[in-house]
Structure formats: C-alpha cells, structure tokens
Amino acid sequence: MTVSSRRFRVVDSPIGPLTLTWDDEAGAVVGVHVHDQRERGPDPAFGTPDDGACAALDDLAGELDEYFAGTRRTFSLPVDPPGTPFARAVFAALQDVPYGAVTTYGALAAAIDKPRAAQAVGTANARNPVSLLVPCHRVVTSAGHPSGGGPGVERKRLLQQLERGGP
C-alpha cells in the first residue's frame, strides 16, 4: 500500500471528529481515527484529502451515522488495518466480539492461542487504527472496566452504553 493510493475525510461524530482513511490499492478502510486519540499533527500516512468523489468514504460516513443512531450493528466495508502479524490476529479476533458484548484482554489472548499475551493484546488494541469498525471499545480489564488507549476510557464507556441501548 502506498500513501498515494490513500484518501481521507474528516467527519463529525458524537465522540468527536473522526478521520476516515480509504486505500484504493487495498480496496479497504485502513483508518478510523479519533482526532485527539494521540497528540500529533496531520499525518501524511492518511494520504490526500478526499475531494468528495470517494464512494467508499461516502458509504463509511453513512454507516457510521447509522451506527451512532443505533440502527447499524455491523459494517459492510472491508478493513485492512496495518500492523504486525500479531496485531492483525488481535484485530481479527476483535471483529468476532458481537455488538453490545464485551470481552477481556485475557480472553482475546486465549482466542488467538497466546494465553499469556494479555498485555501485548492490550498494546495492540490501543494501537488499533480502525477503531469502531474493529471494536476495541468492547474490550475491558479482567475487573470489567474499560482501560486507556484507543479512543480513550470515556469514549469506550459511551460506545459500550450506545451498544447496550443507552442514550
């Protein structure tokens, strides 16, 4: 994947602005970033600003609106999150966590046949480049609490509440 094949668009959401990144070469979403997820300036890896002609970004923005309205539980666009083979295994396991459910870092580690790697699973989860589509907010500590990283603890709580049918 080359950066020149990527396009991005910033959209508003109930959890703040999101940067959506589509890669034409991969034919997939490669990024859904919460703006203050990390303190940094514009990222050249997002590619070029979308000129409004990318149908996939139109579709993704619409699906995210439906998700936040509580009418969408799954996303239809393919995702291709960059990462190490280990991280990609974590991202694949995350996609198996159903809407409205939660799992633990330890359970995810066991799901990828790395039962002693809960901390490494947490690190990969915190670096998830396609949050919401690969639902890192559905992972909690063994005590049942959301932890930092990714979109942040408060946003994780809001997303979990949304998926449980809350306001």
Side-chain angles (χ1 to χ4, degrees), residues 103-105 118-119 121-123 125-126 136-142 144-157 160:
T103 191
T104 64
Y105 297 104
Q119 188 172 16
V121 165
T123 299
N125 194 56
C136 56
H137 60 277
R138 296 179 189 156
V139 185
V140 297
T141 65
S142 59
H145 305 291
S147 64
V153 173
E154 189 54 36
R155 285 188 182 102
K156 285 183 180 184
R157 282 191 182 111
Q160 289 172 8

Side-chain angles (χ1 to χ4, degrees), residues 82-136:
T84 65
F86 177 84
R88 290 172 69 88
V90 171
F91 302 152
L94 279 168
Q95 290 180 297
D96 292 334
V97 180
Y99 180 94
V102 294
T103 191
T104 64
Y105 297 104
L108 272 179
I112 63 168
D113 296 324
K114 303 284 186 191
R116 295 179 168 207
Q119 188 172 16
V121 165
T123 299
N125 194 56
R127 295 179 180 158
N128 175 5
V130 285
S131 57
L132 298 174
L133 282 78
V134 173
C136 56

Side-chain angles (χ1 to χ4, degrees), residues 19-37:
T19 300
L20 314 179
T21 308
W22 175 263
D23 189 292
D24 289 323
E25 189 176 305
V29 177
V30 294
V32 177
H33 298 279
V34 177
H35 274 229
D36 61 350
Q37 192 168 342

Side-chain angles (χ1 to χ4, degrees), residues 68-93:
F68 286 117
T71 60
R72 175 171 288 278
R73 293 176 171 233
T74 60
F75 296 94
S76 67
L77 293 166
V79 295
D80 188 19
T84 65
F86 177 84
R88 290 172 69 88
V90 171
F91 302 152

